[in-house]
Each structure stands twice: as structure tokens, then as C-alpha cells.
Amino acid sequence: MDIIITNVMKLFTSIVIAISFLLTGCTGEEEITEIANPELVAVAFFDALYNQKDVKKAASVCSPKLARILLHYKSPTAVGRHLFNMQYDKVEIKPDDSGVKVREQFKDDADIILYFDGYYQEDRIKDVKRVSLKQVDGNWVIDKILKDPF
């Protein structure tokens, strides 16, 4: 009788572990590559880097050259420090509203200005960055990090 109970417990444990692995893959978050708005892609890119701490997710919406550079640094902290000269523990990112006009003029290219407001080691830091996106196979990808607008 003890052997049957032990086998049932092992089976139950295996099922619970398998279900947990499946559920962790289904977070319900939209993939960045599925977002149709370049402003929101740019925000999601930086959110993946600074708030979610996920370099691979951020690299998924970059041109191959930029993705290779991001993945070279491996950690989101290193990417933020070396590529963007910004470090945040938590940050709020907002696109500039005038980016819509740029997209209307050039349907396959967009330069987006982003405003950052966050904290790093209890210090409040505000910053502005500009990125260039292009449309590839119907998806927006970050092509270049542009020089600071100010």
C-alpha cells in the first residue's frame, strides 16, 4: 500500500511541476515584436531593459547589428551603462507625442524621442533619448540609437 501511495505522490508531483513550467511560459504579456506602433515598441524596448531586466527581450526588436551589440554586453546594467549612459533601478518611459507626425511623413521610418523619469540608488534621474526605428516585414525594429536631442 505504501508503494502505491508513493507512486501516486510522484506522479502528482511530476504533473504539478510540468504545469508550473507551462504556466511560467504563458505570462500573458504581448511580445514586443507584435506591437504595431513604433512609439510603443521603443517604450517596450527600454521597459524590457530597465524594468524587466531582460536583454534578450529587448534585443528581439533590434536590427541584427544592434541586437548583436546588446547581446554582447549580456546584462541590462551593462547595456544601460555603456550604450545609453543611463542607469535606473525603476523608470517610467513616455514617448514624445510629436513622433506621430514623423511617422505620417515617412511610413517605414520613425525617429522617436523618449522621456525617462526614474530612480537609481534613491536618486531621481530624468533623461531624454532618441531612437530610429524602421519597418521590416511589417514589424518595427530599432535600427539606431541617435545622438541626444539636447
Side-chain angles (χ1 to χ4, degrees):
M1 187 71 172
D2 287 335
I3 294 174
I4 294 173
I5 292 174
T6 304
N7 287 339
V8 169
M9 289 302 292
K10 284 182 184 179
L11 179 64
F12 179 74
T13 304
S14 299
I15 291 171
V16 168
I17 290 171
I19 289 173
S20 352
F21 279 121
L22 291 173
L23 290 178
T24 56
C26 304
T27 59
E29 290 183 19
E30 185 177 19
E31 289 293 319
I32 301 174
T33 55
E34 297 173 5
I35 300 173
N37 183 323
E39 291 89 357
L40 297 179
V41 170
V43 169
F45 166 79
F46 283 104
D47 183 65
L49 221 90
Y50 287 108
N51 292 327
Q52 298 174 30
K53 312 289 188 211
D54 190 342
V55 175
K56 288 181 182 177
K57 186 173 184 179
S60 72
V61 289
C62 293
S63 65
K65 181 180 177 182
L66 186 57
R68 190 172 50 251
I69 293 169
L70 253 68
L71 295 172
H72 166 76
Y73 285 108
K74 295 184 172 101
S75 78
T77 305
V79 171
R81 187 174 353 140
H82 294 290
L83 288 184
F84 303 111
N85 194 26
M86 297 188 313
Q87 292 182 322
Y88 289 103
D89 295 323
K90 199 75 173 165
V91 65
E92 183 179 324
I93 307 146
K94 292 183 181 179
D96 184 17
D97 294 337
S98 66
V100 175
K101 295 174 188 167
V102 171
R103 201 178 64 206
E104 288 173 0
Q105 291 176 350
F106 308 103
K107 293 185 180 187
D108 294 334
D109 297 311
D111 291 347
I112 308 297
I113 297 174
L114 298 163
Y115 299 102
F116 296 81
D117 187 2
Y119 290 89
Y120 178 66
Q121 296 180 350
E122 298 181 20
D123 292 328
R124 186 173 184 187
I125 300 170
K126 291 185 175 189
D127 209 336
V128 178
K129 291 293 176 195
R130 214 169 58 139
V131 293
S132 174
L133 290 93
K134 66 180 181 178
Q135 220 170 19
V136 177
D137 298 329
N139 294 323
W140 287 100
V141 295
I142 297 176
D143 188 40
K144 297 176 188 169
I145 309 304
L146 302 172
K147 292 186 178 189
D148 289 342
F150 305 106

